[in-house]
Amino acid sequence: MKKNLMPLLFVFTFINMFGQTPEVSKSTKANTSNKALPPSEMVTNKAVSSLTKVPLDKESMLIYDYDGSLFSFDLDAEKINWTVKPSDANNEMCANKVTLLDGVVYVPFVNGEIFAVDNQSGDIFWKSRLGNIKDQIVLKDQTPVIYNGKLFITAQNQSEGSNLYALDIKDGSLVWNYKLDTAANDISPLFFDNKIFTQSGSTVYSFDANTGKVLNQKSFDTVMSGKPVTDGESIFVANEKDVLYALSPDKLDILWQFKLDENQYNIKDRIFCKDRKVYFASQGSEVSSVYALDAKTGIKLWKTDFTGDNILYIRQEGENLWSYTKKAKMFELDLSNGEIAFELKLTTLPISNFEFPDNDNLLYYYCDAGLIEFDLTEKDENVYYMRTSISDNIYSAYLKIIR
């Protein structure tokens, strides 16, 4: 039964950056065998059963809890169907998202493990580990990217550097691996036009998705830390400071660049494209903003400011943009003009994405107390699933309605 939500306590200087054509400093070929990798970067996989398409359990939601466990929650019966956890009991942290394809859930764990799971039963088709327990690889802020029978993901190894992996979705085995330049890389890659786009440090790469061969790379004057996205024509990626670049997908030439307002920075993964427009959110010491640009020209169409607060999350739903801020303010913007259609101070701070069920005037999000159902008509928050304990170490959570 739903419960009324109880109040819970929660408590740069301008740099003009231009892309530079780099010198290729190492092989453009990817490793296609574990024999070419050190033990700390090898892929070990175990096939439990043959991968097959699975019907969808459309009454349920996948919840990647902040303790590092993934479970299926029946929204009608309000009960947990099944739970999977990483092999290492000391890795109690959700730092990634999941991908659902043909009824199979692909879930990366922070300890370097990746599982392929039946969405109905929770049975595991295969398990893979990137690296080993001794020299542990970290998977952080990753969403498995799946195309043409391959799963693409970026892993960090603080002692060895970061790696871009392509795994076979049939059994989790290695297809190819490419060693990137820097250890820190917590941005999911982008698949477009049979290429994989990612960045490492101040360099943006494009790879042949089938072979892992480096097709192009471009260096910039500062670290590139934005999630790469595409409108179907260009690639958009931001640096860690205040510039968003539009790049050509074939040669990574700069088509245009857009500088944020003064004292704004850090677009990170708060970016998406729709109808040949680019929407993104900045953070700032005094003002954070949501921007809309023309994807072809980089011309600003509108900007909406939020004073004294930082935007933590944005997503598109229909013709609107939904978001929440560090001070637990939820808002909805009209994508056509940036006008605020809805704004509310929430009782608790979300730590997950928003999920919208079909044909219901509802949205779901996760907070430290558990799953919250928000009634958009009544403007009412209800605890739909309450956790039995609350951790002092919360990074994130992730929701995905099965459909």
Side-chain angles (χ1 to χ4, degrees):
M1 179 178 292
K2 299 180 185 177
K3 309 171 186 66
N4 289 329
L5 182 65
M6 297 297 293
L8 301 173
L9 180 63
F10 278 86
V11 187
F12 290 110
T13 57
F14 171 80
I15 301 176
N16 190 20
M17 289 154 284
F18 295 88
Q20 300 173 343
T21 302
E23 296 180 3
V24 177
S25 58
K26 60 178 180 178
S27 172
T28 61
K29 294 182 179 180
N31 296 315
T32 57
S33 170
N34 272 322
K35 295 179 180 179
L37 296 172
S40 60
E41 298 175 9
M42 288 182 179
V43 177
T44 55
N45 64 297
K46 178 182 179 181
V48 179
S49 62
S50 297
L51 188 79
T52 184
K53 293 183 178 180
V54 183
L56 297 179
D57 180 4
K58 296 183 180 180
E59 306 302 321
S60 298
M61 171 189 288
L62 297 170
I63 299 179
Y64 202 167
D65 207 342
Y66 57 75
D67 66 359
S69 63
L70 173 72
F71 62 92
S72 168
F73 184 75
D74 189 310
L75 292 170
D76 287 338
E78 300 184 29
K79 67 179 182 66
I80 295 175
N81 300 316
W82 52 259
T83 303
V84 294
K85 298 180 180 180
S87 301
D88 304 338
N90 60 342
N91 284 284
E92 296 183 350
M93 176 184 180
C94 169
N96 300 289
K97 301 175 176 64
V98 305
T99 297
L100 177 66
L101 177 67
D102 293 332
V104 180
V105 184
Y106 298 88
V107 51
F109 296 101
V110 69
N111 68 339
E113 288 186 302
I114 303 171
F115 292 178
V117 182
D118 184 319
N119 87 96
Q120 288 206 12
S121 65
D123 293 339
I124 296 172
F125 291 110
W126 54 257
K127 297 181 179 182
S128 283
R129 181 185 283 275
L130 311 182
N132 54 52
I133 295 177
K134 181 180 178 181
D135 301 303
Q136 195 175 93
I137 273 180
V138 175
L139 293 173
K140 180 173 175 285
D141 295 333
Q142 294 296 303
T143 304
V145 176
I146 300 176
Y147 282 95
N148 298 332
K150 299 179 186 65
L151 181 153
F152 303 96
I153 200 162
T154 304
Q156 303 178 52
N157 186 320
Q158 296 304 319
S159 62
E160 302 291 341
S162 58
N163 289 265
L164 174 64
Y165 288 91
L167 306 182
D168 191 324
I169 66 167
K170 293 194 303 293
D171 57 11
S173 60
L174 175 68
V175 177
W176 58 260
N177 156 280
Y178 188 85
K179 180 82 168 181
L180 297 167
D181 294 326
T182 60
N185 194 323
D186 57 359
I187 296 294
S188 292
L190 167 71
F191 178 93
F192 173 63
D193 193 26
N194 208 35
K195 302 180 184 71
I196 293 292
F197 298 87
T198 192
Q199 59 265 55
S200 180
S202 59
T203 303
V204 175
Y205 294 85
S206 66
F207 298 86
D208 183 292
N210 293 317
T211 67
K213 178 183 178 181
V214 177
L215 300 175
N216 287 284
Q217 63 185 84
K218 182 177 287 293
S219 293
F220 294 80
D221 293 335
T222 191
V223 172
M224 307 298 286
S225 67
K227 174 185 175 182
V229 296
T230 182
D231 66 340
E233 292 186 2
S234 305
I235 305 298
F236 307 96
V237 61
N239 65 21
E240 67 178 357
K241 295 186 178 179
D242 57 2
V243 178
L244 174 70
Y245 295 92
L247 306 177
S248 67
D250 292 331
K251 297 183 179 180
L252 299 181
D253 292 332
I254 296 177
L255 305 176
W256 53 258
Q257 63 187 68
F258 179 85
K259 188 178 184 304
L260 303 179
D261 285 357
E262 187 175 359
N263 296 322
Q264 292 191 354
Y265 49 87
N266 197 22
I267 293 173
K268 204 72 172 174
D269 61 350
R270 293 175 288 273
I271 182 170
F272 63 84
C273 297
K274 179 177 169 57
D275 298 333
R276 298 295 188 264
K277 300 178 181 65
V278 189
Y279 301 90
F280 57 90
S282 68
Q283 294 190 332
S285 56
E286 297 180 359
V287 178
S288 62
S289 304
V290 177
Y291 293 79
L293 307 184
D294 181 279
K296 190 73 173 178
T297 64
I299 293 174
K300 182 171 68 178
L301 303 175
W302 55 258
K303 179 172 71 77
T304 302
D305 295 330
F306 295 85
T307 303
D309 204 355
N310 266 320
I311 299 167
L312 299 181
Y313 166 83
I314 65 169
R315 69 156 286 174
Q316 174 245 329
E317 176 65 20
E319 298 303 316
N320 295 324
L321 178 151
W322 287 82
S323 179
Y324 60 80
T325 71
K326 191 173 183 179
K327 293 183 178 179
K329 182 183 293 183
M330 178 172 68
F331 60 87
E332 175 190 10
L333 298 182
D334 187 324
L335 286 178
S336 65
N337 54 27
E339 292 182 359
I340 297 176
F342 171 78
E343 185 176 3
L344 181 76
K345 179 70 165 62
L346 296 169
T347 306
T348 59
L349 176 65
I351 59 170
S352 75
N353 57 305
F354 287 158
E355 274 288 82
F356 294 81
D358 296 330
N359 305 318
D360 286 318
N361 201 28
L362 303 171
L363 70 81
Y364 293 96
Y365 65 86
Y366 212 71
C367 70
D368 66 341
L371 179 64
I372 304 299
E373 180 188 77
F374 187 88
D375 189 313
L376 293 168
T377 301
E378 302 296 331
K379 308 297 187 292
D380 184 35
E381 303 163 68
N382 292 292
V383 177
Y384 212 78
Y385 161 74
M386 180 172 285
R387 299 185 90 256
T388 56
S389 63
I390 297 177
S391 172
D392 293 329
N393 182 25
I394 300 174
Y395 182 74
S396 68
Y398 181 71
L399 306 177
K400 189 172 189 64
I401 294 176
I402 297 177
R403 54 190 168 190

